[in-house]
Amino acid sequence: MKPFDAKTLNRVWRSLLVETLDESAHNTAMIASINTDSRAIKPMDCFVALVGEHFDGHDFCQAAVNQGANLLVVESKQPIDCPQIVVKDTRRALGLLAAEIRRQFGGQVIGLTGSVGKTTTKQMLANICQQVGKTHMTQGNLNNDLGVPFTWFALPEDCQFAVIEMGANHQGEIAYLAEIVQPDVGLVLNAGQAHLAGFGGLDGVAKGKGELFSALQSHQTAVINADDAYANWWQDMAANAGSKVTFSMRENAGADVYASDIQLAEQRFTLHYGQHTATVNLPVVGKHYVQNAIAAAAAAYAAGLPMAAVVAGLQTFTLAAGRQQLIQLGQVVIIDDTYNANPQSMQAAGDALSFATGYKIMVLGDMAELGEAQIEIHAQLGASLQHAADAFFCTGTMMQYFAQHNQRAQWFLDKQRLSDELLQWIISNVDKTVPTTILVKGSRSMKMETIVEFLRQQI
Ligand code: ATP
Ligand code: UDP
Ligand code: MG
C-alpha cells in the first residue's frame, strides 16, 4: 500500500465521519498500512478498531498506540493521546478505502465468485495473467468483507492485473464487494449447494452470485457459465454490462470459450478460444478442474489476453493448500483435500479418485451449512459415492447418514478413533505391490487436516 495521509483518509471517509481529525494532527498522521490487530501493529500503522464476536477492537487502542500506531479509526472517541478519526462503521471504512485504492489502480481487474472452485480458478487465472504482466491476487481465502479490502491494501506497485476472489454466504454480500472491486471482467463460476441455508435455497444462491453481474456497467464484461441452470437468469442480470463472454464444457453450446476432446485420464482437453484452438495438459486430475480451466480461460478472453498465455498459465498453475495436495508416505499416497467440502466438491473428489490405480479409501467428515436438507444430502452422497472408493472411513454427526447409505462405509464417533482404526488398517493391509490412495475431506469446521497430520507422524 502506498502511504496515505490523514487528509486523504478524511476525504475517503467523509460519508461515514462522526468526528473529523483535528487539523493539528494532519501532519503527524501519515500512515504506512492499515491494521486491525493490535498484536501485529508496526510503527506508522493505522489501527482500525473492529467489533468482533469475541473482542471489541476499541479495547485494544492503547495497546496499538504503545506498539507504534499513529492513527486510530474508531466508532467512539477514545481517551487516548493519539490522532483519531471517528466513523459510523469501521468495517465500511475499510471498504471505502479499498474502493479508493482500486479507483487509483491503472491495471485490469478480474473479479470472480461462485459456489465452488473460486480459489482454484483464481490460482489458474492469476497464473495466466502472470504470463503477461505483474499480477496481484487474493491471498489464501481472504474473500469476504474484510479479506477483499485487505487484498487491496496489499496491492504492490506497478501491477498490471489484480485477480480478486469474492465469497458470500448471504444476499447482498457480493453486491457490497463488487462496489469495492469494480471489476473490468466479472466471472460467476456456478451456483451450487454451498451456503444454501444463508441464501435461502438454490435460487437465492444464483441471485446472490448474480449480484456481481448486476453491478457491471457499460465498460465492464460479464463472463457467464452457459452450462449452469441459471445461465439465462444471469444473462438478464448482466443487462447493463458492456459485453458478455460465455463458456461451456459442451461443443454445441455456441459458447465463446469451450472445451472438447476431454481426456480425463490424461488430464488433457482441446481449448476453443474464440477463433483459435489449442491442446491443454492440466497438472491436476478431475473434470471439475477442466471446468475451472475453461472459466479461467473465458475470463482471460474477456480481458483480451493471448491464447498462448492461457495455455502456459493453465499448464503450470499450482493448487492452494488443502486442495487435493498429494503427500507420499511410503506406499501410501494421501490426497489432502481438507480445506473444505460441499456436495459438489465431494462428488468431484470421488470422481477424481476413481482415476487412481490400486486400493482407494475416502476419509470423510461432515459437510456444513446445508440447512434443512442436510440429512438427505448426506444420505444421497453416501449412495452416489458407493463406487468411488473401496472403503470409506467417516466421522461427524451428519456422516452417520452417509454411512447408512453406503455399504463400504464405517462410521466413527470422533477423529481420533477414526485415525487409530485407519492406521491399524494401513499397518495390516498395505501391500508393497498395490498402491494405496487415501483422500481426506470435510467441511472447514471439521478440521480434517488433523487426520492428515496424524498419518504424517505415524506412517
Ligand atoms: P470457498 O467458498 O471456501 O472459498 P472455493 O469456491 O474457493 O471455496 P476451492 O477452494 O477452489 O473453492 O475448492 C474447494 C473444493 O472444491 C476443493 O476440494 C476442490 O477440489 C473442489 N472443486 C474445485 N472446483 C470445483 C468444481 N468446479 N466443481 C466441483 N468441485 C470443485
Ligand atoms: N483484537 C486486537 N487485539 C487483541 C484481540 C483482538 O486488536 O488482542 C482485534 C481483532 O484483530 C479484531 C477485533 O479485535 O479486529 C475483534 O476481535 P475478534 O477476535 O472478536 O474478531 P472476530 O474474529 O470475532 O471477527
Ligand atoms: Mg476460496
Side-chain angles (χ1 to χ4, degrees):
M1 193 172 119
K2 69 171 200 211
F4 271 89
D5 62 19
K7 231 184 220 154
T8 310
L9 291 172
N10 264 331
R11 180 176 59 75
V12 169
W13 289 329
R14 63 184 175 274
S15 62
L16 292 177
L17 284 180
V18 172
E19 206 171 306
T20 175
L21 188 70
D22 56 59
E23 286 287 330
S24 60
H26 274 172
N27 297 332
T28 52
M30 185 81 186
I31 60 138
S33 63
I34 298 283
N35 203 324
T36 55
D37 189 341
S38 63
R39 294 157 291 194
I41 287 277
K42 294 178 298 306
M44 300 263 294
D45 275 357
C46 167
F47 177 71
V48 179
L50 295 174
V51 182
E53 241 174 76
H54 315 285
F55 297 105
D56 181 346
H58 293 85
D59 297 337
F60 302 98
C61 286
Q62 187 62 59
V65 172
N66 296 346
Q67 289 249 81
N70 66 351
L71 178 65
L72 301 175
V73 179
V74 289
E75 292 178 2
S76 56
K77 183 109 187 214
Q78 302 297 303
I80 294 172
D81 183 21
C82 178
Q84 299 176 32
I85 300 181
V86 186
V87 294
K88 280 185 227 133
D89 183 337
T90 45
R91 274 177 195 256
R92 290 271 314 151
L94 293 177
L96 285 184
L97 181 58
E100 175 65 20
I101 295 172
R102 190 278 173 253
R103 262 191 295 280
Q104 293 178 13
F105 178 56
Q108 278 200 76
V109 179
I110 305 177
L112 75 156
T113 189
S115 291
V116 61
K118 296 180 290 296
T119 298
T120 307
T121 306
K122 173 211 74 183
Q123 297 281 120
M124 292 174 169
L125 198 45
N127 200 41
I128 291 170
C129 294
Q130 192 62 50
Q131 311 297 316
V132 179
K134 188 168 165 183
T135 302
H136 180 56
M137 65 167 173
T138 300
Q139 292 304 297
N141 202 40
L142 292 174
N143 66 13
N144 64 8
D145 62 336
L146 294 179
V148 170
F150 275 100
T151 300
W152 283 108
F153 302 157
L155 179 75
E157 278 192 39
D158 56 78
C159 276
Q160 244 172 287
F161 301 97
V163 180
I164 314 284
E165 173 175 338
M166 294 182 260
N169 51 23
H170 58 260
Q171 306 288 350
E173 227 173 336
I174 294 295
Y176 177 74
L177 297 178
E179 226 171 276
I180 297 173
V181 174
Q182 286 295 323
D184 298 299
V185 174
L187 161 66
V188 177
L189 290 171
N190 45 42
Q193 292 169 313
H195 306 298
L196 273 183
F199 276 111
L202 202 52
D203 284 0
V205 173
K207 197 159 157 268
K209 306 296 171 191
E211 288 170 9
L212 177 57
F213 291 142
S214 307
L216 299 177
Q217 304 293 316
S218 58
H219 60 287
Q220 298 162 318
T221 304
V223 181
I224 300 174
N225 182 351
D227 299 337
D228 199 283
Y230 290 94
N232 287 338
W233 258 31
W234 289 335
Q235 287 280 354
D236 291 343
M237 290 182 89
N240 292 332
S243 54
K244 292 171 193 161
V245 165
T246 53
F247 64 94
S248 174
M249 294 283 279
R250 295 171 295 136
E251 276 181 71
N252 55 3
D256 301 297
V257 175
Y258 63 93
S260 69
D261 310 317
I262 302 171
Q263 315 273 340
L264 284 185
E266 284 85 39
Q267 303 156 234
R268 186 186 315 129
F269 67 95
T270 301
L271 168 68
H272 298 260
Y273 194 74
Q275 302 305 313
H276 307 280
T277 59
T279 299
V280 176
N281 293 288
L282 288 177
V284 286
V285 189
K287 194 171 178 184
H288 54 306
Y289 291 124
V290 181
Q291 279 167 357
N292 297 343
I294 286 295
Y301 182 77
L305 304 186
M307 187 173 66
V310 175
V311 175
L314 291 177
Q315 295 192 153
T316 59
F317 90 99
T318 51
L319 290 170
R323 291 154 184 95
Q324 300 189 358
Q325 237 92 42
L326 301 187
I327 306 166
Q328 184 86 43
L329 297 174
Q331 288 300 112
V332 179
V333 174
I334 311 277
I335 303 180
D336 176 356
D337 203 9
T338 56
Y339 167 68
N340 217 343
N342 63 36
Q344 267 111 336
S345 72
M346 283 282 204
Q347 187 66 50
D351 293 344
L353 188 65
S354 64
F355 287 99
T357 50
Y359 203 84
K360 300 160 204 173
I361 300 177
M362 288 187 96
V363 176
L364 303 177
D366 285 353
M367 299 174 285
E369 292 188 73
L370 291 176
E372 282 173 9
Q374 56 177 341
I375 292 179
E376 200 186 325
I377 291 173
H378 280 82
Q380 276 169 2
L381 188 73
S384 74
L385 285 185
Q386 180 87 359
H387 301 289
D390 300 289
F392 296 81
F393 286 66
C394 307
T395 188
T397 326
M398 281 298 128
M399 270 293 150
Q400 288 181 80
Y401 301 100
F402 177 102
Q404 281 169 11
H405 292 81
N406 184 314
Q407 286 159 8
R408 300 176 180 176
Q410 275 178 277
W411 182 81
F412 298 90
L413 198 58
D414 56 46
K415 287 189 285 183
Q416 194 52 53
R417 278 171 238 227
L418 185 156
S419 302
D420 292 338
E421 195 67 28
L422 180 59
L423 185 63
Q424 278 316 311
W425 186 93
I426 292 169
I427 291 167
S428 25
N429 290 290
V430 168
D431 176 341
K432 289 202 173 7
T433 57
V434 184
T436 299
T437 307
I438 303 176
L439 187 140
V440 190
K441 189 168 180 67
S443 267
R444 187 80 303 272
S445 53
M446 291 297 292
K447 298 197 172 76
M448 296 296 279
E449 62 274 16
T450 56
I451 298 178
V452 176
E453 261 325 295
F454 176 84
L455 294 177
R456 263 185 204 275
Q457 281 163 17
Q458 303 291 327
I459 295 180

